[in-house]
Amino acid sequence: MSSEQEAESIRCLVAKVGLDGHDRGAHVIARAFRDAGFEVIYSGLHKAPEEIVQAAVQEDVDVLGISILSGAHDTLVPKIMDGLEEYGAKEDTLVLAGGVIPEEDRPGLEEAGVSAIFGPGTSIEETIEFVRENAPQR
Amino acid sequence: MDSDDESLLEALLAGEHRALARVISKIENRAPGYRDLVSELYAHTGDADVIGITGSPGAGKSTLVDKLAEEYRDRGETVGIIAIDPSSPFTGGAVLGDRIRMASTVGDMDVFVRSMSARGTLGGLSTATADAVKAMDAFGKDKIIIETVGAGQNEIDIVRTADTVAVLVPPGSGDDIQTLKAGILEIADVFVVNKADRDGADRTVQELREMVHLGEESGPGGGGHHGVGAMGGGGDDWGATDDGDDEDESWTPPIVETVATKGTGVERFIDELANHRTYLVDSGTRAEKVRQRYAEEIRTLLREDVHSLLETELADSGGVDELAEAVRQGETDPYSIASDVLAPVEACVEHLETGVEHLETGVDGSSVE
C-alpha cells in the first residue's frame, strides 16, 4: 500500500436511530464497508436525531447510512435532514436509508433528501458500488 | 492559501463546528493546501490543556473520557476529543467505535468528538493527530483529550503529543513482571486503575505502587526520575540528581482508582491532571516538554516528506512490485535496491548538508561574539 493510496478515505456514519433494538444488519453493513476500505463510524443503538446530526457534522462524513426497522422513518429521517441543513451539511452528505421501509413511504423520504433506499434483499456489493459512485467529491 | 481555505480558517476561528470538522478532514486527507492552513493555525494555539489517555483494549478508556468530558463541561470548559482506532492493514478500512461510549454529553456541540484511523502511513498518524490538536486548540477548546489504544510505538508517539499522559491499567492485567516491562507504563504521568470495583484491583494498585516506588529509588542519589525527563531529556536528570533540590522538582505519578461506568473517582482524576499541569508550569518542565514536542513534530514531518519523496522515486523506477519480484527471483536483494534508490537522494542531501553546516557555524560564531 503506497502512502498516496490511504490519504483519502470514504468516511461513513452507520446510524441506528429511534427505538428499534436490532442492529445486526447495521453491524453487517459496518463490517462490509470496512472491508471495502471505508472508514466507518457506528453510532450504536437508540440514538436521537440530534445525536446523529452531531456525529455526522463532527466526523465530517461523506456518507450517512440510516438503518430503521421500527417504522418511525417518516418522523425521524426528516428531523435528521433538517439538522444537517442547519449545519450546512445537507447538500454534500450522501444520505442512504436501509431497513424495513414500505414502498409507499419512499417518495416522501426521497423528497426529504435521501439519495437511495436499500430494502431487505439488497446485496451488499450493490450498496458499496452505489457509495463509491455517489460519494460527494469535496 | 486560496480564498476557500481563508474563509474556512476564518469560520474555524469564529467558532463554527463544521469548519473545524472540515479542517480536520483536510488535515487527514493531506488535501492540497492543508499545510498552509495548519501553519496559520499555529499563531492561535497554546491555550488548551492537552491530555493523552491510553491503555489496553477494554480498559475502559472511552467510558472514562466520556465522564471526563462531562465533568469538564459541568465546570464550564469546552472539550475536544480525538479518538484513534486502528485501520486494516489490508483494505485501509476501519470501524471507529469509540464514539458509541461517549453518550453523557450528547447534543452538546461543545464536546467535539472526532474519530481518526491510522490510515497506515509511517508517522502520518502522529502528524495528523498533532495537527488536529492544533485545529481544536485554535478553535478555542479548553481541554483536548487524545484517546488511543496503547498497542505500539506509533500510539505512544501520539499520546506523547499531550502535556499530561494518563495510562489506564485494568485490574488483573498480569503479574508484577508486566509492570517492569518497557512500554506504555513508562510514559504515564498519572496511572488510572479503572474498573476498581472488580476483583484484583487492590493488587493491581499495589503492584503499580511498588513499581512507582522502585522507579523513585533507582536513580543515583535517590533522586526522582519520572515524567518528562525520563523520556528524552533523561541525560540531564541523571546529572542533576546530585544537587539535592531535584527532589522537589520531580514528579511521582499518582495512582487513581476509578469506576468509569459510575463516574466514581473522576473528580480525583481531574485533580491529579490539574496537579500535573501545575507541576509542569512551576518546575519549568513545560517549556522543555513543548520544545521536545516541536522537535519531534519537525522530525516526523521531515521523515514523512522524505518517505513520500522516496515513494515517488520508487514509482519512477518501475514500482516496488517489480523490484520485489526481482528479489524473489534471486536477481538482487533489498539492500542493493535500497542503496540504488537512495544514491541520488544521498547525493542531493550531501550537497544540502554544507548549507546547514554553514548555518550552524553562523549561529556558533554569533554566540561567541
Side-chain angles (χ1 to χ4, degrees):
Chain A
M1 223 154 70
S2 82
S3 53
E4 272 74 41
Q5 206 178 325
E6 56 252 342
E8 204 147 336
S9 183
I10 297 180
R11 284 170 73 86
C12 311
L13 174 64
V14 173
K16 287 296 297 184
V17 62
L19 292 175
D20 75 85
H22 186 77
D23 62 350
R24 195 174 152 72
H27 284 192
V28 170
I29 283 283
R31 166 77 194 249
F33 277 5
R34 185 201 83 183
D35 290 343
F38 304 165
E39 283 180 3
V40 188
I41 294 132
Y42 175 51
S43 71
L45 281 171
H46 307 309
K47 297 302 170 192
E50 308 81 75
E51 298 177 50
I52 301 304
V53 170
Q54 184 181 8
V57 170
Q58 293 184 346
E59 301 287 358
D60 194 23
V61 291
D62 307 289
V63 183
L64 167 59
I66 308 168
S67 157
I68 296 193
L69 305 170
S70 66
H73 44 266
D74 277 346
T75 46
L76 296 174
V77 173
K79 275 188 191 161
I80 293 176
M81 301 310 298
D82 289 348
L84 289 178
E85 190 160 32
E86 195 185 314
Y87 285 100
K90 189 179 171 185
E91 64 281 5
D92 60 2
T93 306
L94 179 72
V95 181
L96 313 174
V100 183
I101 291 164
E103 202 59 50
E104 65 267 26
D105 291 346
R106 293 183 175 215
L109 291 183
E110 277 159 9
E111 205 171 297
V114 175
S115 298
I117 296 161
F118 298 107
T122 316
S123 80
I124 298 253
E125 288 75 26
E126 196 185 317
T127 316
I128 289 170
E129 202 48 43
F130 186 86
V131 168
R132 283 224 172 92
E133 276 167 19
N134 295 285
Q137 297 293 320
R138 292 168 164 176
Chain B
M1 208 162 53
D2 65 27
S3 61
D4 279 0
D5 284 354
E6 246 162 57
S7 51
L8 192 60
L9 180 71
E10 246 167 62
L12 180 144
L13 295 174
E16 280 180 35
H17 281 97
R18 183 154 169 80
L20 174 58
R22 264 296 144 80
V23 168
I24 297 178
S25 295
K26 275 184 167 271
I27 287 167
E28 278 198 292
N29 292 339
R30 311 281 197 277
Y34 94 93
R35 289 195 167 201
D36 295 338
L37 205 51
V38 179
S39 299
E40 291 291 325
L41 290 174
Y42 272 83
H44 306 274
T45 60
D47 294 330
D49 278 351
V50 187
I51 299 156
I53 296 199
T54 187
S56 50
K61 295 179 292 295
S62 304
T63 314
L64 187 64
V65 168
D66 180 45
K67 291 293 188 291
L68 204 58
E70 190 183 20
E71 182 65 30
Y72 278 134
R73 287 299 293 138
D74 283 350
R75 297 179 184 199
E77 295 186 281
T78 58
V79 182
I81 299 170
I82 299 173
I84 296 158
D85 270 320
S87 61
S88 160
F90 305 111
T91 63
V95 171
L96 308 169
D98 291 329
R99 207 186 167 95
I100 297 183
R101 292 171 201 96
M102 298 183 191
S104 303
T105 51
V106 146
D108 177 4
M109 264 290 186
D110 285 326
V111 177
F112 189 100
V113 185
R114 181 61 178 239
S115 311
M116 277 179 126
S117 95
R119 298 204 185 176
T121 1
L122 192 72
L125 181 54
S126 345
T127 342
T129 310
D131 291 345
V133 168
K134 292 283 174 307
M136 287 185 170
D137 191 348
F139 182 87
K141 293 294 180 195
D142 300 313
K143 306 283 176 187
I144 298 167
I145 305 171
I146 307 169
E147 184 212 321
T148 187
V149 170
Q153 203 56 46
N154 208 354
E155 287 80 6
I156 286 180
D157 285 349
I158 291 160
V159 282
R160 280 177 59 199
T161 314
D163 303 311
T164 300
V165 176
V167 174
L168 264 68
V169 187
S173 49
D175 59 22
D176 49 359
I177 290 300
Q178 298 292 350
T179 62
L180 297 178
K181 288 185 180 173
I184 59 166
L185 292 183
E186 286 176 287
I187 64 171
D189 299 309
V190 178
F191 284 107
V192 182
V193 176
N194 191 32
K195 308 188 182 178
D197 53 348
R198 292 209 181 163
D199 286 350
D202 291 348
R203 216 186 118 207
T204 303
V205 171
Q206 189 54 36
E207 277 162 8
L208 282 173
R209 198 166 285 147
E210 274 165 28
M211 185 198 72
V212 170
H213 188 62
L214 207 63
E216 276 197 307
E217 287 183 340
S218 65
H225 188 57
H226 283 294
V228 201
M231 289 316 302
D236 300 336
D237 253 10
W238 291 95
T241 42
D242 287 339
D243 57 29
D245 41 89
D246 184 62
E247 200 65 39
D248 306 337
E249 303 227 335
S250 76
W251 171 259
T252 306
I255 301 160
V256 184
E257 292 178 66
T258 59
V259 183
T261 46
K262 295 181 191 148
T264 317
V266 173
E267 289 197 23
R268 160 105 207 278
F269 180 37
I270 284 187
D271 291 346
E272 292 295 359
L273 292 173
N275 286 346
H276 184 256
R277 163 90 186 176
T278 313
Y279 156 77
L280 285 180
V281 175
D282 291 353
S283 65
T285 335
R286 182 153 200 270
E288 190 195 334
K289 199 165 182 162
V290 170
R291 199 159 46 231
Q292 270 178 30
R293 195 156 60 212
Y294 285 142
E296 208 47 55
E297 268 178 40
I298 296 168
R299 284 210 183 92
T300 314
L301 215 51
L302 286 173
R303 208 153 41 215
E304 208 186 329
D305 285 358
V306 170
H307 179 73
S308 68
L309 273 180
L310 288 177
E311 285 286 337
T312 321
E313 190 77 11
L314 264 181
D316 288 351
S317 48
V320 76
D321 291 340
E322 223 163 280
L323 297 170
E325 177 60 16
V327 175
R328 196 187 70 87
Q329 303 269 6
E331 289 163 14
T332 176
D333 64 285
Y335 287 88
S336 311
I337 292 173
S339 31
D340 287 352
V341 173
L342 270 180
V345 182
E346 229 165 319
C348 293
V349 171
E350 253 165 58
H351 184 66
L352 223 156
E353 237 168 22
T354 49
V356 175
E357 223 146 2
H358 252 280
L359 186 76
E360 262 171 34
T361 37
V363 170
D364 277 351
S366 60
S367 72
V368 168
E369 283 165 32

